[in-house]
Amino acid sequence: DAMVIQNPRYQVTQFGKPVTLSCSQTLNHNVMYWYQQKSSQAPKLLFHYYDKDFNNEADTPDNFQSRRPNTSFCFLDIRSPGLGDAAMYLCATSRDRGSSNEQFFGPGTRLTVL
Amino acid sequence: GQNIDQPTEMTATEGAIVQINCTYQTSGFNGLFWYQQHAGEAPTFLSYNVLDGLEEKGRFSSFLSRSKGYSYLLLKELQMKDSASYLCAVMDSNYQLIWGAGTKLIIKP
C-alpha cells in the first residue's frame, strides 16, 4: 500500500544532543511537510517542500533544519533540542499544493527530551 | 490574524448524533478540511468542502457556509471508535493549511 512512513516512532534524546527524524513516502507526491504538534494543540507547520523548493515558516526556530535529498525522503534535524521541543513530529505529503489536495500523514515520531 | 475556533471538548452517547462546529477567519479561502485524530496517532482525512452546502459520506457529513465563515461536521450513529479529536483546517490564499486545535469527542455507552 502507498503510504507515509516515519522513523523512529519514538525518540528519546538528551538536552542539546542533535537528533534526526526521517520520513519516506511511496505516494510519489510533490509536496512534503513537517509539523510539530504538542498535546491538545493544532499542528504547527515547520517547513514544506514543493518538489525541491524549500519553504521555511517565518516563526520556525533556527534550531530546526530540513533536507529533502530526493522525492521519497525528507529529514528533520533538530540541532540542539530543548525541553520545549518535546512533541509529536508529523510528516505529511500532498500530491500538489493547490486546493482540494488533502494531506496524508505518517504515524508521527514522539520526541522526548531529557 | 488568522483564526480557527472549535469547541475544546464534547461528549455524546453511543448511537446518537453529534455536530462539531468550526468558525474561521483567514486571509483567503481555498477549502476547508476535517481530519480525525485518535490519541497518539496521526490525523486522517475525513472531508473537504470548497462550495457552500452539505457533503455526505456515510455516517459523516460536513457543511460549509463561506459567507458566515462556518462549517460543521455531523457524525451519525455514533460508535465507541469515533472517540477521537476532530480537527478543522482551512486552506488560505497561499494554499497553506491553517489548523484549529481540535475538538476532543468523548463517546459514552
Side-chain angles (χ1 to χ4, degrees):
Chain A
D1 287 339
M3 54 199 304
V4 182
I5 302 161
Q6 290 188 245
N7 285 302
R9 293 291 310 277
Y10 300 90
Q11 176 74 58
V12 180
T13 191
Q14 291 181 331
F15 185 94
K17 186 174 181 181
V19 67
T20 296
L21 310 182
S22 73
C23 176
S24 64
Q25 54 126 342
T26 61
L27 297 160
N28 204 31
H29 282 176
N30 285 324
V31 193
M32 294 187 79
Y33 307 82
W34 278 107
Y35 287 93
Q36 179 193 64
Q37 188 180 27
K38 296 186 178 181
S39 182
S40 302
Q41 295 185 21
K44 178 182 182 298
L45 183 64
L46 298 173
F47 320 94
H48 77 274
Y49 281 91
Y50 181 66
D51 195 14
K52 295 180 181 178
D53 181 27
F54 175 70
N55 297 269
N56 189 19
E57 293 305 298
D59 57 354
T60 298
D62 292 339
N63 196 27
F64 291 84
Q65 305 284 319
S66 184
R67 298 169 279 138
R68 189 180 185 185
N70 55 52
T71 301
S72 301
F73 285 88
C74 197
F75 298 96
L76 174 63
D77 300 307
I78 309 176
R79 292 192 295 186
S80 182
L83 298 179
D85 297 327
M88 175 77 89
Y89 289 87
L90 296 165
C91 174
T93 72
S94 64
R95 185 172 50 83
D96 210 326
R97 201 163 44 181
S99 57
S100 85
N101 281 281
E102 67 187 86
Q103 294 185 14
F104 294 81
F105 285 83
T109 295
R110 181 164 296 282
L111 178 68
T112 301
V113 182
L114 301 177
Chain B
Q2 309 203 87
N3 197 47
I4 309 280
D5 282 318
Q6 311 179 228
T8 303
E9 187 175 296
M10 298 181 71
T11 302
T13 304
E14 189 177 15
I17 299 173
V18 71
Q19 177 175 311
I20 302 174
N21 296 326
C22 170
T23 58
Y24 62 89
Q25 289 177 303
T26 56
S27 55
F29 180 84
N30 279 300
L32 185 145
F33 295 79
W34 283 96
Y35 281 81
Q36 180 190 60
Q37 186 175 26
H38 285 99
E41 298 182 12
T44 55
F45 170 77
L46 289 178
S47 68
Y48 171 74
N49 294 69
V50 67
L51 299 176
D52 290 351
L54 188 68
E55 294 278 343
E56 296 187 78
K57 194 186 289 186
R59 294 188 298 114
F60 292 8
S61 303
S62 55
F63 171 84
L64 175 67
S65 169
R66 288 171 296 171
S67 62
K68 294 181 179 177
Y70 167 71
S71 173
Y72 68 73
L73 181 69
L74 190 72
L75 292 76
K76 302 176 186 175
E77 301 169 16
L78 286 170
Q79 303 175 8
M80 297 304 292
K81 68 178 182 180
D82 298 329
S83 292
S85 286
Y86 291 85
L87 296 152
C88 173
V90 173
M91 187 169 280
D92 69 8
S93 56
N94 293 320
Y95 298 105
Q96 298 277 39
L97 274 184
I98 310 301
W99 291 84
T103 298
K104 183 178 180 181
L105 178 63
I106 300 168
I107 311 294
K108 295 186 174 179

